[in-house]
Amino acid sequence: VMIPRNSTIPVSKVKRVHTMYPGQTAARIQIYQGEYEWVEHNHHLGSFLLEGLPANHRTQEAIDVTFKYNLNGILEVTAKAVNGGQAMTVTVQDALDRMSADGFAASKARLEDLWADVDRAAEDAALLQAYDEAAAEVAEEDEEPPERSGDSLRRDGHGLVRDLRRAQRAGRGDRVELGKARRRLEEALRGDDLDLLEDVVDEVTDLLLALDAE
């Protein structure tokens, strides 16, 4: 939940998210209203496609998503690539009125009209094309899929050890789980098995990303 109910308005909240795939150059930003744990139980307000992300084949690219809600009930959502500077903003007016059945139906109809001209299939095609172009770039650079060097893995691993320690000190997540992950990573860093190190680095990265999403 970005803006909890009964928040003092105007209000602005920022959440950092990350791309999911190496070389990803576009990301769909989904906007929902509601506070249910499972996203499908909330009301979908709309989405937009942020394109022009740096084609990073090694790590996830960071995107800052800002939600601004003002006294007139207007929600403004901005997504900006942290490294590339690409940004896109969409405005949602007349958030859902849940005080009455008639108000809910009317505001929902307005939102549906707002997004009626959005061609979701075209956006999906653009996203898939972006993934294909990124894959083609990798193929041009090297016939073999890009592999992470030992030095790169160890740099990433030592950085993740620091991130785990900071998370423990800040009381984020389960301290026991974080401690086990840190010890497993430190042990992998001391060894010579790069495949094992890569697996542990990926596991710890997923763990920290999950903490960021909470």
Side-chain angles (χ1 to χ4, degrees):
V1 176
M2 293 290 294
I3 302 176
R5 70 177 68 193
N6 300 323
S7 294
T8 301
I9 55 176
V11 60
S12 177
K13 299 283 187 177
V14 181
K15 178 73 173 180
R16 178 160 294 184
V17 297
H18 296 80
T19 54
M20 296 180 63
Y21 307 103
Q24 182 174 338
T25 57
R28 183 187 301 283
I29 308 300
Q30 302 276 8
I31 308 168
Y32 288 85
Q33 180 172 9
E35 296 184 337
Y36 291 101
E37 180 178 1
W38 295 99
V39 68
E40 62 265 25
H41 296 157
N42 298 287
H43 181 74
H44 185 252
L45 298 180
S47 68
F48 61 95
L49 193 67
L50 177 64
E51 299 179 282
L53 301 176
N56 190 327
H57 299 297
R58 299 298 182 186
T59 61
Q60 291 97 343
E61 277 298 309
I63 302 169
D64 280 346
V65 182
T66 303
F67 281 63
K68 294 182 180 179
Y69 189 67
N70 67 20
L71 294 171
N72 297 319
I74 296 176
L75 174 66
E76 182 181 274
V77 182
T78 299
K80 181 177 181 180
V82 173
N83 293 324
Q86 295 292 328
M88 187 173 182
T89 300
V90 67
T91 300
V92 180
Q93 301 187 31
D94 298 322
L96 288 175
D97 175 12
R98 299 182 182 274
M99 299 302 292
S100 67
D102 291 340
F104 178 88
S107 57
K108 182 178 179 181
R110 285 195 296 270
L111 288 170
E112 289 173 345
D113 289 340
L114 177 66
W115 296 99
D117 59 347
V118 176
D119 186 349
R120 297 290 298 280
E123 286 190 334
D124 286 337
L127 188 59
L128 290 174
Q129 181 181 356
Y131 292 159
D132 290 341
E133 290 173 354
E137 290 178 7
V138 173
E140 289 176 1
E141 293 173 1
D142 192 343
E143 293 182 0
E144 296 294 328
E147 296 182 356
R148 298 158 74 179
S149 68
D151 290 341
S152 173
L153 280 170
R154 294 185 187 283
R155 282 196 302 271
D156 291 346
H158 287 296
L160 290 170
V161 168
R162 292 191 294 271
D163 291 340
L164 287 168
R165 285 174 176 159
R166 283 195 291 265
Q168 284 182 293
R169 287 196 297 268
R172 296 169 53 213
D174 187 313
R175 292 179 62 87
V176 174
E177 181 183 11
L178 291 172
K180 289 181 178 178
R182 181 169 59 82
R183 288 190 292 273
R184 190 165 66 251
L185 180 55
E186 289 172 338
E187 182 178 349
L189 285 168
R190 288 192 294 268
D192 297 323
D193 189 336
L194 292 182
D195 289 336
L196 173 63
L197 177 58
E198 184 171 18
D199 289 342
V200 178
V201 164
D202 289 342
E203 289 173 8
V204 172
T205 299
D206 290 342
L207 173 61
L208 291 171
L209 288 175
L211 288 181
D212 289 338
E214 291 179 354

